[in-house]
Amino acid sequence: MGTWYVIGVKPTYLETTCSNAVEKYTLLDEKTSKHDIDIDFKYRKYENPLDANNKVKSLPQKGWVQGDNRLQSGDWKVSPFWPVKMGYPIIELDEKDYSYAVVGYESRSYVWILSRTPTMDEGVYENLKTKLVKDHQYDLDGLRKVPQIWTAEERVSRGLTSEELPDSFLN
């Protein structure tokens, strides 16, 4: 759960030019909620996040964890809007320190490479791309890196804390 930055994406129509894309995942109480996870996806629509005309867009989503152990399962369903529920499998996860995750899609039309920080080591990124092709049979045509350019003002306006976005990542 927590805050994840979209580093790379084989995009949906909403993400073809996005920047500063961030997803926040909140696990809900299974006794009081009809779904398991609230997903707050916010991004700037265009490539340059510093452009004053590039407004923040928001796409709140609901998630359902599949399987018996909702704290361990990487098999999710996500709904960007009713009645659509899409498969949202977590196909790669850094089990050492939980610093990256990769979310796939059954048809392999989409993929999201996520990081706990707005940057990712290039070697890690390239390794994940290799795994996508070799281990998960993805064609990476259309994969794009998502610009992540942050200022202190952007951090505050997006409601991120200095723990979620440390000063060392600010321009």
Side-chain angles (χ1 to χ4, degrees), residues 21-90:
V22 178
E23 300 180 1
K24 285 188 175 187
Y25 296 84
T26 304
L27 185 65
L28 303 175
D29 184 335
E30 63 188 324
K31 295 175 184 164
T32 60
S33 180
K34 293 183 180 181
H35 62 282
D36 297 310
I37 302 165
D38 275 339
I39 304 166
D40 180 25
F41 175 48
K42 291 185 180 170
Y43 60 97
R44 292 204 178 262
K45 186 173 181 177
Y46 302 113
E47 296 255 342
N48 182 357
L50 303 178
D51 181 344
N53 295 318
N54 191 2
K55 303 297 181 201
V56 173
K57 302 289 184 178
S58 180
L59 180 62
Q61 301 171 74
K62 296 177 180 177
W64 292 264
V65 179
Q66 309 299 292
D68 294 333
N69 187 343
R70 71 188 212 123
L71 297 178
Q72 295 295 318
S73 177
D75 184 16
W76 297 7
K77 299 275 186 202
V78 169
S79 176
F81 48 84
W82 187 88
V84 173
K85 274 190 187 176
M86 306 180 327
Y88 198 80
I90 300 167

Side-chain angles (χ1 to χ4, degrees), residues 68-111:
D68 294 333
N69 187 343
R70 71 188 212 123
L71 297 178
Q72 295 295 318
S73 177
D75 184 16
W76 297 7
K77 299 275 186 202
V78 169
S79 176
F81 48 84
W82 187 88
V84 173
K85 274 190 187 176
M86 306 180 327
Y88 198 80
I90 300 167
I91 59 175
E92 292 290 334
L93 180 65
D94 180 3
E95 294 182 17
K96 179 182 165 198
D97 63 7
Y98 204 52
S99 65
Y100 67 77
V102 179
V103 177
Y105 190 71
E106 186 176 337
S107 71
R108 293 168 179 74
S109 299
Y110 313 112
V111 71

Side-chain angles (χ1 to χ4, degrees), residues 98-163:
Y98 204 52
S99 65
Y100 67 77
V102 179
V103 177
Y105 190 71
E106 186 176 337
S107 71
R108 293 168 179 74
S109 299
Y110 313 112
V111 71
W112 296 267
I113 298 174
L114 309 174
S115 175
R116 287 297 196 174
T117 63
T119 63
M120 178 180 277
D121 177 82
E122 194 62 29
V124 172
Y125 185 76
E126 290 300 320
N127 185 46
L128 291 173
K129 285 172 44 179
T130 299
K131 285 182 175 187
L132 282 167
V133 172
K134 289 185 175 181
D135 298 347
H136 304 287
Q137 294 73 52
Y138 270 82
D139 171 358
L140 297 184
D141 188 41
L143 181 74
R144 66 181 285 267
K145 275 198 162 179
V146 176
Q148 295 282 352
I149 304 169
W150 292 87
T151 63
E153 296 79 18
E154 174 84 346
R155 177 174 63 190
V156 169
S157 74
R158 298 284 289 279
L160 296 169
T161 67
S162 59
E163 287 182 353

